[in-house]
Amino acid sequence: MILGLETSCDETAAAVVTGDGRILSNVVASQSELHARYGGVVPEVASRRHLELVAPVVREALGRAEVPLADVERVAVTQGPGLIGALLVGLAAAKGLAWGGGLPLVAVDHLHGHVASLYLQPNPLEPPFLCLLASGGHTLLLDVQNHVGFRVVGTTLDDAAGEAFDKGARMLGLGYPGGAEIDRLARQGDSEAYDFPVAQVPGLDFSFSGVKTALLYAVRDIPPGKLQEHCADLAASYQKAIVRALVERTHKAAETLGAETIAIVGGVAANSELRAALPGATAAPLALCTDNAAMIASAGRYLEPAADPLRLDAYAVA
Ligand code: KG4
Ligand code: ZN
């Protein structure tokens, strides 16, 4: 029995996962409503909310799993990257739980956690595979050869894909977080209405600043009061450009590495157009795309516990 904790951004999450990867509970308390009025996550507000939520969320996860704390055999927690104050709340809580129960504590990298969302039941994926990790903070192509880690073969030179979705949504006057909103609105729009450029950078890297600027100019050119009627077309065209960039680079990486299996994880992997555009790929289950603690517990199954757990420190940047 592994208890996982995740507090790297604005989700306070706890989960109970078995050693063979069955999810017994997966509780996610999203703070997005709290941050919506600011149009993005306010780090200090997030830290304070994590502090209020972490104990009840852990209690809820144990309760739903019907696993008493005494039956937990290890604790896994996100160590970084993320918001430092937010991470420290989860790390301190995990240290307390592990120390109090005399349990091993495993520090998990958040990105490894996203990859490990693929290792859970009922359809665990086995390495090797090429993994596209697209979230609010990262856009990475990963060469995954085993369960304990990965090698980065491509990254974004500027914004992350999720960040591009969120900023685009803000320009269109949609709510935060914007990815899911654009996804929903795009279904009613014409993706051919606007021609947004897909940045071509060398190698296997990504760039989303150009497409973001193109959207900004398109929005600026719309007469006052008319944004509403063009909104769905803008969303559909913008989403198509981002998805095309992600798909092209992923195919190129698979070719370069000779990878036979492609997987997609992270918040943006929840995008319906991206999932449809990579029909042969293994996509993380929808509930495990955005931040959660089941993926952290999953990664924690494969890693060595910390030798000196109380000395673990969080890190903001990978
Ligand atoms: O993995 P995640 O929960 O957090 C990070 O580690 O960053 O990813 C959150 C990101 C946000 O930018 C959000 O807008 C995006 O994932 N996202 C989506 C969708 N659902 C969430 N982007 C596009 N389409 C979606 N359906
Ligand atoms: Zn994440």
Side-chain angles (χ1 to χ4, degrees):
M1 295 292 177
I2 301 146
L3 173 65
L5 273 84
E6 151 65 41
T7 63
S8 69
C9 191
D10 63 342
E11 267 96 23
T12 315
V16 179
V17 167
T18 62
D20 61 358
R22 277 177 300 123
I23 302 174
L24 300 186
S25 66
N26 188 22
V27 178
V28 181
S30 174
Q31 306 178 7
S32 62
E33 275 175 34
L34 184 64
H35 299 282
R37 77 178 103 151
Y38 307 107
V41 180
V42 183
E44 186 55 23
V45 173
S47 307
R48 286 164 194 260
R49 192 72 180 129
H50 281 306
L51 207 49
E52 291 169 352
L53 288 173
V54 68
V57 164
V58 166
R59 219 172 283 131
E60 179 82 17
L62 293 169
R64 282 196 207 169
E66 296 181 30
V67 170
L69 188 54
D71 288 359
V72 171
E73 289 154 293
R74 69 164 57 188
V75 180
V77 64
T78 307
Q79 187 180 15
L83 303 171
I84 198 73
L87 288 162
L88 284 171
V89 175
L91 189 57
K95 283 180 183 178
L97 286 162
W99 190 64
L103 302 171
L105 179 61
V106 189
V108 175
D109 182 272
H110 182 79
L111 306 174
H112 184 212
H114 274 297
V115 176
S117 66
L118 298 162
Y119 303 147
L120 289 160
Q121 302 281 359
N123 295 304
L125 185 67
E126 287 296 315
F129 55 87
L130 170 76
C131 188
L132 169 67
L133 191 173
S135 70
H138 298 86
T139 308
L140 297 168
L141 283 164
L142 307 172
D143 177 17
V144 182
Q145 290 292 332
N146 55 50
H147 289 106
V148 297
F150 51 73
R151 185 172 64 94
V152 177
V153 296
T155 186
T156 178
L157 303 179
D158 37 59
D159 286 355
E163 201 178 353
F165 270 108
D166 294 337
K167 289 178 178 170
R170 188 152 30 156
M171 289 181 226
L172 296 176
L174 306 173
Y176 170 86
E181 295 272 328
I182 289 191
D183 194 350
R184 215 171 300 130
L185 191 59
R187 280 173 216 161
Q188 303 152 30
D190 173 10
S191 65
E192 305 290 328
Y194 294 87
D195 188 21
F196 293 132
V198 182
Q200 290 290 345
V201 291
L204 297 175
D205 291 332
F206 301 91
S207 168
F208 294 104
S209 62
V211 70
K212 201 180 60 184
T213 308
L215 177 64
L216 180 70
Y217 290 158
V219 169
R220 203 182 272 172
D221 287 345
I222 290 171
K226 298 274 183 197
L227 181 59
Q228 197 64 29
E229 65 193 69
H230 297 284
C231 215
D233 289 349
L234 287 163
S237 306
Y238 187 63
Q239 174 171 284
K240 188 179 80 174
I242 296 174
V243 166
R244 190 190 287 166
L246 292 171
V247 169
E248 272 181 7
R249 279 291 122 123
T250 303
H251 282 317
K252 186 173 172 198
E255 216 170 275
T256 307
L257 299 177
E260 284 170 18
T261 308
I262 296 174
I264 54 173
V265 300
V268 178
N271 185 268
S272 58
E273 189 173 335
L274 177 62
R275 294 171 89 91
L278 287 169
T282 301
L286 278 180
L288 299 179
C289 285
T290 45
D291 289 347
N292 64 86
M295 68 185 197
I296 301 302
S298 176
R301 294 182 292 150
Y302 303 101
L303 305 170
E304 288 296 323
D308 195 354
L310 295 186
R311 284 193 183 277
L312 281 176
D313 204 359
Y315 51 87
V317 184

